[in-house]
Amino acid sequence: MVDRLNKKRLFKETFLITFLIMMVTLGLQYFPLNFEIAKPIKEEFSDFDVYDIIYTGRAKDNHVRDTDIIILQAAETRRQIAGQLELLQKYKPKVIGVDLTFIGHKDSLQVDSLLEYQLSMSNVVTGYRIDTNKITVIKPNFFDTVTSGKSGYINFVGDSIAVVRYYPPFRKIDGRLHYAFTSRIAEKYDQKAFSILEKNAQYLQVVNYRGNIESYTSFLIGQFDTAQFGEKIRDKIVLLGVLYKKDPLVIEDLHFTPVNDRINGKSFPDMYGVAIHANILSMIFSHAYIKSVARIWSYLIGVILTFLLVHYQLRSHYKGRHPAELWFFLLQFIIIIILVYIFLLVYEFLYHKVPLFPIVIPIVLCIEIIEVYKFLLTRLFKKTRYTSVFLDKKNRK
């Protein structure tokens, strides 16, 4: 039986070691991986997210289509795109989203005028780009003054090789509120869903992916029957954008997503921007929002679990049973597997994303930090009368 004095000392040391572990975890959280030797680590793991397991391969496995959203391959020239828009209007889609930018005038002002006329239609939503680092509009389209109030930014968070897991539904730039391309479409298509988006969406909203292009009805230029196409798009959303189903693919508009077949070290981008917008719209209209849990709660869970593990280790030393590191390592492994599984279930069924780094890393560090603590303790004891569970009975007297 542990006496009262030892209990006090036990909790004191447990708290101290837990504090050290959490400080190291916090340091690792913001440790830069910019030096040369760390580049391979950064490229392989810096954009890894265990929650991608839920989506990986969904492009192949999920073919339940969202019939409210139609994707159409955009033509190559402005004249042809103007013709596409004119044809689409004949079949009365509720909203047409043009996932393209048109920077500056071309040689033919007549063609630009035709395109501008089609893009100014009340049911058309246009796109522009913002610099997400400087939070500024990059360069306006030649028609932006005409479509003001019914256009939104089409780019996502991060650089061109980042995995698209989040997007900002709204951004404030120079005191003006800007809407995402999908937010503008939702506003026109379903006012109730848009109101819920305004109320519930987070500053950086997790994208709850439905699947890749297979999860939507899509048409390539010249590969569909016009009459059949007209029946499918009436009162629906039509997204016009870059889309190729066979090589050569257009790399400039392809993005890495969690739907990629590889969880980490993704070798090739897997989804066109227009398909990502379709996934965001499916999430908005089905109200399937993933809520990001504040990191402070993850740290709190991490502190509690780490404290219990450290307490178990120290208590074993007090009782004279020095736990084998192999057994303790196995215990760590089992706990981590169980925790990851639980939080994956929370993500998939309760739509909450809990940051795992502040929970898993402290558990991993338990043995190492305890060993560091023991090393420092043996050096410290030579100069002080500090007592610890790791000092033999002779030294404690």
Side-chain angles (χ1 to χ4, degrees):
M1 192 75 179
V2 180
D3 60 44
R4 190 171 300 177
L5 176 62
N6 283 346
K7 279 186 177 181
K8 183 178 179 181
R9 185 187 305 157
L10 174 65
F11 277 95
K12 179 182 176 181
E13 282 199 277
T14 302
F15 176 81
L16 178 59
I17 295 173
T18 301
F19 177 78
L20 290 174
I21 292 172
M22 297 312 297
M23 287 299 100
V24 172
T25 302
L26 191 62
L28 290 174
Q29 180 84 55
Y30 300 102
F31 187 73
L33 289 175
N34 295 327
F35 45 91
E36 195 67 29
I37 196 172
K39 281 186 178 179
I41 301 173
K42 183 177 181 180
E43 290 175 2
E44 185 71 10
F45 295 106
S46 64
D47 212 359
F48 171 77
D49 191 325
V50 71
Y51 292 104
D52 290 355
I53 294 171
I54 293 172
Y55 298 109
T56 300
R58 188 174 284 189
K60 295 179 180 178
D61 300 334
N62 179 28
H63 299 291
V64 179
R65 294 182 176 180
D66 185 340
T67 56
D68 291 331
I69 301 169
I70 314 296
I71 300 175
L72 175 62
Q73 180 187 27
E76 294 184 357
T77 68
R78 292 188 179 189
R79 184 184 294 277
Q80 291 170 336
I81 292 170
Q84 281 183 307
L85 292 170
E86 184 178 9
L87 177 65
L88 287 173
Q89 293 291 2
K90 290 181 180 179
Y91 298 106
K92 301 186 180 339
K94 191 167 183 180
V95 182
I96 301 173
V98 183
D99 181 25
L100 304 164
T101 55
F102 304 89
I103 308 301
H105 286 282
K106 293 296 183 182
D107 295 335
S108 174
L109 293 179
Q110 181 184 11
V111 171
D112 281 353
S113 295
L114 288 172
L115 179 59
E116 184 177 338
Y117 175 75
Q118 293 298 331
L119 293 172
S120 64
M121 294 292 180
S122 60
N123 65 336
V124 175
V125 174
T126 57
Y128 60 88
R129 293 186 179 277
I130 60 173
D131 185 333
T132 54
N133 294 319
K134 298 179 181 178
I135 318 297
T136 57
V137 176
I138 294 178
K139 198 173 181 182
N141 297 294
F142 72 87
F143 54 82
D144 278 354
T145 54
V146 178
T147 59
S148 178
K150 63 186 196 72
S151 61
Y153 49 85
I154 58 176
N155 51 316
F156 308 105
V157 175
D159 55 36
S160 59
I161 62 170
V163 179
V164 181
R165 298 188 183 94
Y166 301 86
Y167 87 103
F170 308 95
R171 295 295 286 262
K172 207 160 192 178
I173 303 174
D174 297 329
R176 177 190 164 196
L177 184 65
H178 288 248
Y179 288 55
F181 178 65
T182 46
S183 298
R184 284 294 189 195
I185 293 173
E187 184 181 30
K188 285 186 174 293
Y189 186 75
D190 187 336
Q191 188 61 48
K192 183 179 178 181
F194 177 73
S195 298
I196 294 173
L197 172 68
E198 283 186 305
K199 181 179 179 181
N200 294 330
Q202 298 178 313
Y203 172 70
L204 281 181
Q205 176 63 50
V206 180
V207 181
N208 192 2
Y209 282 92
R210 182 186 188 89
N212 210 322
I213 196 69
E214 295 87 356
S215 296
Y216 300 91
T217 302
S218 59
F219 296 92
L220 300 179
I221 296 173
Q223 296 185 16
F224 59 87
D225 177 79
T226 305
Q228 182 188 30
F229 175 71
E231 291 176 4
K232 288 183 178 294
I233 72 170
R234 185 178 295 273
D235 294 324
K236 302 293 177 62
I237 295 171
V238 178
L239 297 178
L240 186 66
V242 177
L243 177 66
Y244 291 87
K245 296 183 179 180
K246 296 180 180 179
D247 294 336
L249 303 176
V250 181
I251 300 297
E252 288 79 5
D253 198 45
L254 273 172
H255 303 269
F256 291 103
T257 73
V259 179
N260 199 299
D261 289 336
R262 294 185 62 180
I263 297 176
N264 70 290
K266 298 173 173 62
S267 59
F268 199 81
D270 54 281
M271 192 178 295
Y272 281 108
V274 69
I276 297 177
H277 291 308
N279 273 277
I280 293 171
L281 288 169
S282 294
M283 177 186 71
I284 292 172
F285 298 136
S286 62
H287 314 304
Y289 294 107
I290 301 290
K291 293 292 184 183
S292 294
V293 176
R295 194 168 290 271
I296 186 64
W297 294 110
S298 290
Y299 273 102
L300 181 60
I301 295 171
V303 167
I304 293 171
L305 292 175
T306 304
F307 187 91
L308 292 175
L309 276 173
V310 173
H311 186 270
Y312 165 76
Q313 183 85 322
L314 267 60
R315 187 178 178 85
S316 297
H317 275 282
Y318 262 121
K319 290 186 174 183
R321 300 194 309 265
H322 301 284
E325 288 190 2
L326 181 60
W327 157 247
F328 196 73
F329 174 78
L330 182 61
L331 179 63
Q332 286 175 300
F333 180 76
I334 293 171
I335 291 173
I336 290 170
I337 293 298
I338 293 173
L339 285 173
V340 170
Y341 181 71
I342 290 172
F343 287 120
L344 284 174
L345 292 178
V346 169
Y347 184 97
E348 187 166 14
F349 297 106
L350 300 181
Y351 291 172
H352 280 73
K353 183 174 184 177
V354 180
L356 292 179
F357 188 95
I359 300 173
V360 173
I361 296 302
I363 295 173
V364 172
L365 291 174
C366 273
I367 292 178
E368 287 72 17
I369 300 300
I370 288 175
E371 290 301 316
V372 170
Y373 176 78
K374 287 164 66 176
F375 173 80
L376 293 175
L377 193 63
T378 56
R379 299 297 183 270
L380 184 66
F381 185 75
K382 292 179 179 179
K383 298 182 180 180
T384 70
R385 299 299 299 172
Y386 185 81
T387 56
S388 168
V389 299
F390 297 111
L391 299 174
D392 57 36
K393 292 182 179 179
K394 182 179 179 180
N395 285 335
R396 277 190 242 161
K397 289 181 180 179

